[in-house]
Amino acid sequence: SAHHRLARVDIYEKLPVPFGLVRFGVAPDHPEVKNVINTFTQTAHSDRCAYYGNVTIGKDVMVKELQRAYHAVVLSYGAEDNQILGIPGENLSTVYSARAFVGWYNGLPENRDLKPDLSSETAVVLGQGNVALDVARVLLSPLDILRTDITEGSLAAIACSKVKRVWLVGRRGPLQVAFTIKELREMINLPGTRPLLDPADFTGLGDVIKDVPRPRKRLTELMIKSALEKPGEKEAARWASATKEWGLKFQRSPLEVLPAADGKQARGIRMAVTRLEGSGESARAVPTGEVEELECRLILSSIGYRSLPLDSSIPFDPKLGIIPNSLGRVQGAPGLYCSGWVKRGPTGVIITTMNDSFDTAQSVLEDLQMGVLNLSNSKEGFKSVRSILHSRGVHPVTFSDWEKIDAAEVARGKLAGKPREKIVDPQEMLQLISH
Amino acid sequence: MTVHFINRDGERLTATAKEGESLLEVVVNQNLGIDGFGACEGTLACSTCHLIFEEDVFQKLDTITDEELDMLDLAYGLTDTSRLGCQVCVKKAMDGLTVQVPVEVADMRRELEVENSKIKG
């Protein structure tokens, strides 16, 4: 909006509360990452910006109706679903997507009744990205570190958890791990834990990484150091007294989740041992024929998020899981744009998605300047959407309504010594603002 | 003191800086129009305050920590003279300093698209 002094932007959100993954995805023990909420809040306070929560596009109002009301519509609804494993046993009761587990501890309403089974010692996380590290860390962290804006219910469940060991299992090798160095360093230094890294996975790796780009090189060097070098005095003492542990298993591709005697829970996972063809980021895991089993009950699948089609009128590529577009302009749909994960796929950190949004905004501004968007037709904006929503019995939540919910959460948190106690029931949120 | 920021579009933004202020604080305090700069507010949880320095200035900056390197590793357009603005504090010897806000990958790709469309005619 800073680049076009007359532009008005209205934001529609399905949940009553804003901020998406910054509220529901970022780990509770990473509060600095959530500082970006202050920038968002500043934008929302602009008199040319309005927020309307509790409005489901595709149900309460259709995209075509939005296009009649606005000169431009930007779809940035992200990736609400997860990739499925596609293996037998993945629907056993103690197998969960990491997405649902993260939603559970972060207070996402749809995951509040997850009740994950934390009653056995060994947990397996399939995937080696930052989300995999997040779930491992939340499972193993000392409770005083976790006492943040994590929900009361999940903190209580974790306090009773029997989980002592978490394996992060990847189909490929150490050079293909998707997590980043800050998160890995945090895991290596996690109080009360020790890392289980097989030296055989890292021997000779130092030579291979001599010429790779610095980020991959430093990340690999940190793993090599932790696996092969003798720890310093402090670290050695911590590892010796650790009651919990985590480790990385490489070149294991899940084949089947094995059922327990009751046929409902998992008792283990059968995996194909793989070898790598090619190298670097594009290396492929190929089964060798050898198979291995790992005993465990809790299995968390952390193999990626997935976007869903919003509304049948919008083009969607189910294979890539994105809205077909060129620089954020939806193909074959003038006036329709997309940004973020639904545009590029569900990877990257906040800066990646932020830059991508600036990119889409640039396309919108260009189209405004070049006359691609016909401004001679005046549009009613929220005025017409309001009457549509009213006729359908939908009451949007404004930003100042959110600020009431925010204040209530902070007040409740104070009583518990936490930055906030998240409200996980949307009905309770609506009651609070008297809707 | 004076610090110059070359913005992504090439515009030179000149700001007054106090000794000891970080370059992020200068951008915030002087309200400079650099989109999305300093999202995590100087807590080493992002790389949006990434700045590119001239070689001779870069060599004289305080040693970089592992924590800064960890976040810098995720920055777009990383160079050999890159630092995070929240970790670099203004010193007297830096009066008149010029730093470059990195051009994002998206911007480079847009230029390529424009060039390609020109070639296709």
Side-chain angles (χ1 to χ4, degrees):
Chain A
S1 257
H3 295 271
H4 190 293
R5 278 183 217 107
L6 296 178
R8 273 209 55 93
V9 182
D10 291 342
I11 302 170
Y12 292 92
E13 158 62 47
K14 179 169 68 175
L15 290 169
V17 297
F19 309 136
L21 282 179
V22 176
R23 174 178 165 102
F24 295 113
V26 175
D29 56 346
H30 289 169
E32 335 72 32
V33 180
K34 302 188 199 195
N35 283 345
V36 74
I37 283 176
N38 298 333
T39 310
F40 294 160
T41 299
Q42 221 176 26
T43 303
H45 282 163
S46 158
D47 57 8
R48 290 182 292 116
C49 181
Y51 165 81
Y52 299 109
N54 197 37
V55 177
T56 302
I57 309 301
K59 177 171 142 300
D60 298 331
V61 60
M62 311 308 280
V63 173
K64 280 214 159 25
E65 290 170 320
L66 288 178
Q67 287 183 283
R68 279 200 282 275
Y70 294 91
H71 292 105
V73 174
V74 181
L75 303 165
S76 63
Y77 62 83
E80 69 199 82
D81 200 1
N82 52 269
Q83 293 291 354
I84 58 165
L85 289 164
I87 61 175
E90 80 173 286
N91 293 316
L92 288 168
S93 67
T94 59
V95 181
Y96 312 90
S97 68
R99 179 191 63 75
F101 188 74
V102 170
W104 171 72
Y105 65 62
N106 270 339
L108 187 62
E110 71 183 59
N111 297 130
R112 66 192 189 269
D113 296 326
L114 191 70
K115 295 188 185 61
D117 186 325
L118 307 177
S119 63
S120 60
E121 276 198 12
T122 303
V124 165
V125 180
L126 301 171
Q128 292 175 333
N130 282 336
V131 176
L133 278 179
D134 275 354
V135 305
R137 196 177 69 254
V138 167
L139 283 169
L140 299 177
S141 271
L143 288 178
D144 58 345
I145 292 182
L146 276 186
R147 173 167 287 283
T148 52
D149 65 4
I150 193 171
T151 64
E152 181 191 349
S154 54
L155 189 60
I158 290 166
C160 299
S161 164
K162 299 279 185 288
V163 177
K164 281 187 163 35
R165 183 178 311 111
V166 180
W167 289 110
L168 276 69
V169 177
R171 290 178 299 178
R172 298 187 296 172
L175 294 178
Q176 287 79 37
V177 296
F179 49 66
T180 48
I181 192 171
K182 182 182 160 97
E183 287 73 15
L184 176 66
R185 207 184 283 283
E186 184 181 15
M187 200 70 208
I188 289 169
N189 295 332
L190 191 63
T193 71
R194 76 171 70 88
L196 301 170
L197 300 170
D198 185 351
D201 288 328
F202 299 95
T203 314
L205 219 52
D207 295 324
V208 178
I209 57 167
K210 277 203 166 71
D211 295 315
V212 311
R214 193 181 84 184
R216 176 62 69 184
K217 189 167 182 202
R218 290 183 71 243
L219 175 63
T220 312
E221 279 169 352
L222 180 57
M223 281 190 282
I224 293 171
K225 175 167 177 271
S226 307
L228 298 181
E229 278 178 29
K230 195 166 155 217
E233 219 179 289
K234 260 200 193 129
E235 214 168 35
R238 176 166 58 84
W239 291 0
S241 64
T243 53
K244 300 185 183 178
E245 44 193 29
W246 64 277
L248 301 173
K249 281 196 191 289
F250 297 105
Q251 294 178 234
R252 299 291 183 272
S253 180
L255 289 173
E256 181 181 352
V257 178
L258 306 167
D262 69 357
K264 292 193 189 122
Q265 300 182 344
R267 69 167 166 80
I269 185 161
R270 180 176 294 142
M271 306 173 294
V273 176
T274 70
R275 58 177 174 78
L276 296 185
E277 266 180 16
S279 65
E281 317 295 325
S282 59
R284 280 172 326 281
V286 175
T288 58
E290 226 187 294
V291 154
E292 207 174 84
E293 282 181 17
L294 192 49
E295 210 175 285
C296 58
R297 183 180 304 158
L298 175 63
I299 296 172
L300 292 159
S301 164
S302 183
I303 59 172
Y305 284 65
R306 193 165 64 120
S307 293
L308 297 175
L310 180 69
D311 177 320
S312 55
S313 69
I314 303 174
F316 188 82
D317 181 332
K319 190 155 163 268
L320 294 176
I322 59 171
I323 295 174
N325 72 93
S326 172
L327 291 176
R329 294 178 178 94
V330 177
Q331 278 172 8
L336 204 54
Y337 303 80
C338 56
S339 79
W341 281 8
V342 80
K343 169 189 171 195
R344 289 177 50 256
T347 58
V349 294
I350 288 178
I351 186 181
T352 326
T353 306
M354 187 187 80
N355 287 332
D356 181 76
S357 296
F358 290 163
D359 199 25
T360 294
Q362 182 66 12
S363 296
V364 177
L365 289 170
E366 274 174 17
D367 289 355
L368 272 171
Q369 281 157 20
M370 308 284 261
V372 172
L373 297 171
N374 189 355
L375 294 184
S376 61
N377 294 339
S378 76
K379 298 279 192 171
E380 290 209 311
F382 182 64
K383 194 153 159 254
S384 54
V385 176
R386 187 200 287 124
S387 30
I388 293 171
L389 293 176
H390 189 74
S391 73
R392 293 176 187 161
V394 178
H395 302 286
V397 171
T398 64
F399 202 77
S400 62
D401 287 333
W402 147 248
E403 284 170 331
K404 290 197 191 91
I405 297 170
D406 183 29
E409 290 186 343
V410 170
R412 291 183 197 190
K414 234 188 178 133
L415 299 172
K418 295 162 71 176
R420 76 175 55 241
E421 184 57 62
K422 286 180 185 169
I423 298 172
V424 302
D425 180 354
Q427 287 313 309
E428 199 182 328
M429 289 176 188
L430 296 176
Q431 269 157 31
L432 215 137
I433 54 178
S434 326
H435 269 38
Chain B
M1 295 187 303
T2 306
V3 178
H4 308 280
F5 294 82
I6 312 290
N7 209 348
R8 294 185 189 107
D9 57 3
E11 189 192 350
R12 170 183 288 260
L13 306 168
T14 301
T16 318
K18 290 195 201 98
E19 192 180 353
E21 262 190 325
S22 74
L23 290 174
L24 170 59
E25 283 165 336
V26 173
V27 171
V28 170
N29 294 341
Q30 298 294 301
N31 231 329
L32 300 184
I34 305 174
D35 283 338
F37 200 83
C40 78
E41 299 175 1
T43 55
L44 281 176
C46 77
S47 56
T48 61
C49 68
H50 171 206
L51 292 167
I52 301 170
F53 293 77
E54 284 156 5
E55 176 73 48
D56 53 331
V57 176
F58 178 79
Q59 293 303 335
K60 296 201 192 85
L61 298 176
D62 288 345
T63 318
I64 191 170
T65 60
D66 271 342
E67 286 70 32
E68 184 185 340
L69 272 169
D70 286 354
M71 293 320 299
L72 203 49
D73 276 356
L74 302 184
Y76 285 111
L78 190 62
T79 69
D80 291 334
T81 57
S82 286
R83 291 292 300 263
L84 294 182
C86 66
Q87 302 299 302
V88 175
C89 290
V90 178
K91 295 195 186 122
K92 276 214 171 68
M94 287 158 69
D95 193 5
L97 169 75
T98 302
V99 289
Q100 170 85 45
V101 180
V103 172
E104 299 304 331
V105 170
D107 295 338
M108 295 197 296
R109 190 164 43 104
R110 187 178 292 278
E111 277 171 32
L112 248 159
E113 290 251 354
V114 171
E115 285 308 310
N116 284 343
S117 67
K118 280 188 196 151
I119 292 165
K120 283 176 191 156

